[in-house]
Coordinates of all heavy atoms in Angstrom, one line a residue:
K65 N 5.9 -7.2 4.1 CA 5.1 -7.1 2.9 C 5.6 -6.0 1.9 O 5.0 -5.8 0.8 CB 3.6 -6.9 3.3 CG 3.3 -5.6 3.9 CD 1.9 -5.6 4.4 CE 1.5 -4.2 5.1 NZ 0.2 -4.2 5.6
I66 N 6.5 -5.1 2.4 CA 7.0 -4.0 1.6 C 8.2 -4.5 0.8 O 9.2 -5.1 1.4 CB 7.4 -2.9 2.5 CG1 6.2 -2.2 3.1 CG2 8.2 -1.8 1.7 CD1 5.3 -1.6 2.1
S137 N 5.3 -3.1 -4.7 CA 5.2 -2.0 -3.8 C 3.8 -1.6 -3.5 O 3.6 -0.7 -2.7 CB 5.9 -0.8 -4.4 OG 5.3 -0.5 -5.6
A138 N 2.8 -2.3 -4.0 CA 1.4 -2.1 -3.7 C 1.0 -0.6 -3.9 O 0.4 0.0 -3.0 CB 1.1 -2.6 -2.3
T139 N 1.3 -0.1 -5.0 CA 1.0 1.3 -5.3 C -0.5 1.7 -5.3 O -0.8 2.8 -5.3 CB 1.7 1.8 -6.6 OG1 1.3 1.0 -7.6 CG2 3.2 1.8 -6.4
E140 N -1.3 0.6 -5.4 CA -2.7 0.9 -5.6 C -3.4 1.2 -4.2 O -4.5 1.6 -4.2 CB -3.4 -0.3 -6.2 CG -3.5 -1.6 -5.3 CD -2.2 -2.4 -5.3 OE1 -1.3 -2.0 -6.0 OE2 -2.2 -3.5 -4.6
R141 N -2.7 1.1 -3.2 CA -3.2 1.4 -1.9 C -2.3 2.4 -1.1 O -1.2 2.5 -1.4 CB -3.4 0.2 -1.0 CG -2.1 -0.6 -0.7 CD -2.4 -1.7 0.3 NE -1.1 -2.4 0.6 CZ -0.2 -2.0 1.4 NH1 -0.3 -0.8 2.0 NH2 0.9 -2.7 1.6
P142 N -2.9 3.1 -0.1 CA -2.1 4.0 0.7 C -1.0 3.3 1.5 O -1.1 2.1 1.9 CB -3.1 4.6 1.7 CG -4.4 4.4 1.1 CD -4.3 3.1 0.3
L143 N 0.1 4.0 1.7 CA 1.2 3.5 2.6 C 0.7 3.8 4.0 O 0.4 4.9 4.3 CB 2.5 4.2 2.3 CG 3.7 3.7 3.1 CD1 4.2 2.5 2.4 CD2 4.8 4.8 3.1
V144 N 0.7 2.7 4.8 CA 0.2 2.9 6.2 C 1.4 3.0 7.2 O 2.2 2.2 7.2 CB -0.7 1.7 6.6 CG1 -1.2 1.9 8.0 CG2 -1.9 1.6 5.6
R173 N 2.6 9.3 -3.2 CA 1.5 8.3 -3.0 C 0.8 8.7 -1.7 O 1.2 9.5 -0.9 CB 2.1 6.9 -2.9 CG 3.0 6.7 -1.7 CD 3.7 5.3 -1.7 NE 2.7 4.3 -1.6 CZ 2.8 3.0 -1.9 NH1 4.0 2.7 -2.5 NH2 1.9 2.1 -1.7
D174 N -0.4 8.1 -1.6 CA -1.2 8.4 -0.4 C -0.6 7.7 0.8 O -0.1 6.6 0.7 CB -2.7 7.8 -0.6 CG -3.4 8.6 -1.7 OD1 -3.1 9.8 -1.9 OD2 -4.4 8.0 -2.3
D196 N 2.8 -0.5 7.1 CA 4.0 -0.7 6.2 C 5.3 -0.2 6.8 O 6.3 -0.8 6.7 CB 3.7 0.0 4.9 CG 2.4 -0.5 4.2 OD1 2.3 -1.7 4.0 OD2 1.5 0.3 3.9

Side-chain angles (χ1 to χ4, degrees):
K65 67 185 180 183
I66 292 297
S137 60
T139 54
E140 70 278 3
R141 63 170 178 77
L143 184 78
V144 180
R173 65 184 294 158
D174 291 335
D196 301 305

